[in-house]
Amino acid sequence: MFYDNDIKEVLFTEEQLKGKMAELGASITKDYAGKDLLLVSILKGSVIVMADLMREVDLPAQIDFMNVSSYGAGTETKGSVKILKDLDVDIKGKDVLIVEDILDSGVTLHNLIGMLEQRQPASIEICTLFSKPARRKVEVEAKYIGYEIPDAFIVGYGLDYAEKYRNLPYVGVLKEEVYGG
Ligand code: IMP
Ligand code: MG
């Protein structure tokens, strides 16, 4: 791939990510048996996680998509999130599992959870492929975390830099000169 020229180091290979999705999917399958599971993918970063994870969940789950943006830094009140694309499904009484690519400051998910709780789901939890605990500004509890990683900017498998590199099948770190322009 020509994209590979921009990558300094591969952190997680396609095979590793596939294995992780199977692991997360098995846990979700066990925990949500008999429940009314709705998987909610947050656009755009989690589309690949969603596509791969949902095929590892052996339950009659529903899926939906949402796109949000947070208002600024971590000082905002809970529930302060701008909806760019809302859910189609009414989540009242459903067991909602938010599917995310990465939990960074936590501001987006903190605000989103606060807003979705007002719609009275039976439960609401988070599954994130990556988490950077060192970057957290607000507390967010994720029920499922694929990998905890140090504070480095990663791309691929849905994660972008300036809207590019989402379609890399693995996760890696960009070379410094790519940021330099
Ligand atoms: P936060 O948790 O509210 O800070 O927002 C997390 C969002 O920031 C993710 O959904 C990504 O869109 C973006 N993000 C955070 N860290 C990275 C990274 O290392 N690579 C690419 N996107 C990132
Ligand atoms: Mg994102």
Side-chain angles (χ1 to χ4, degrees), residues 24-90:
L24 291 170
S27 299
I28 293 165
T29 301
K30 184 160 80 53
D31 296 347
Y32 284 88
K35 297 198 169 172
D36 192 6
L37 176 60
L38 172 69
L39 298 168
V40 171
S41 164
I42 309 302
L43 298 169
K44 307 174 201 171
S46 75
V47 284
I48 299 183
V49 179
M50 179 67 146
D52 285 353
L53 182 67
M54 63 192 267
R55 286 177 283 180
E56 301 287 352
V57 174
D58 190 13
L59 294 170
Q62 282 184 263
I63 66 164
D64 206 346
F65 298 86
M66 196 167 188
N67 193 2
V68 296
S69 75
S70 274
Y71 297 112
T75 52
E76 305 294 328
T77 51
K78 205 176 185 188
S80 164
V81 69
K82 186 176 174 191
I83 299 174
L84 302 174
K85 186 234 171 284
D86 205 344
L87 297 169
D88 296 330
V89 171
D90 180 4

Side-chain angles (χ1 to χ4, degrees), residues 42-46 100-102 108 158-160 166:
I42 309 302
L43 298 169
K44 307 174 201 171
S46 75
E100 257 291 29
D101 48 353
I102 189 161
T108 309
L159 291 151
D160 72 303
R166 291 192 197 277

Side-chain angles (χ1 to χ4, degrees), residues 100-109 132 152-155 159-160:
E100 257 291 29
D101 48 353
I102 189 161
L103 186 50
D104 188 41
S105 72
V107 172
T108 309
L109 283 178
K132 293 184 198 169
F153 197 82
I154 56 174
V155 295
L159 291 151
D160 72 303

Side-chain angles (χ1 to χ4, degrees), residues 10 12-20 157 168-171:
V10 175
F12 301 96
T13 65
E14 265 187 273
E15 292 71 26
Q16 282 175 306
L17 292 165
K18 189 169 170 43
K20 182 56 77 176
Y157 203 72
L168 279 178
Y170 54 82
V171 169

Side-chain angles (χ1 to χ4, degrees), residues 69-141:
S69 75
S70 274
Y71 297 112
T75 52
E76 305 294 328
T77 51
K78 205 176 185 188
S80 164
V81 69
K82 186 176 174 191
I83 299 174
L84 302 174
K85 186 234 171 284
D86 205 344
L87 297 169
D88 296 330
V89 171
D90 180 4
I91 64 170
K92 190 170 183 178
K94 291 195 182 295
D95 292 289
V96 176
L97 183 59
I98 295 176
V99 177
E100 257 291 29
D101 48 353
I102 189 161
L103 186 50
D104 188 41
S105 72
V107 172
T108 309
L109 283 178
H110 173 85
N111 290 344
L112 179 63
I113 295 253
M115 198 211 65
L116 291 179
E117 272 170 351
Q118 293 167 18
R119 301 185 186 181
Q120 302 174 312
S123 67
I124 184 156
E125 301 286 356
I126 296 164
C127 175
T128 184
L129 177 54
F130 297 107
S131 174
K132 293 184 198 169
R135 296 257 310 166
R136 212 75 86 238
K137 286 187 201 154
V138 289
E139 204 189 312
V140 177
E141 199 69 48

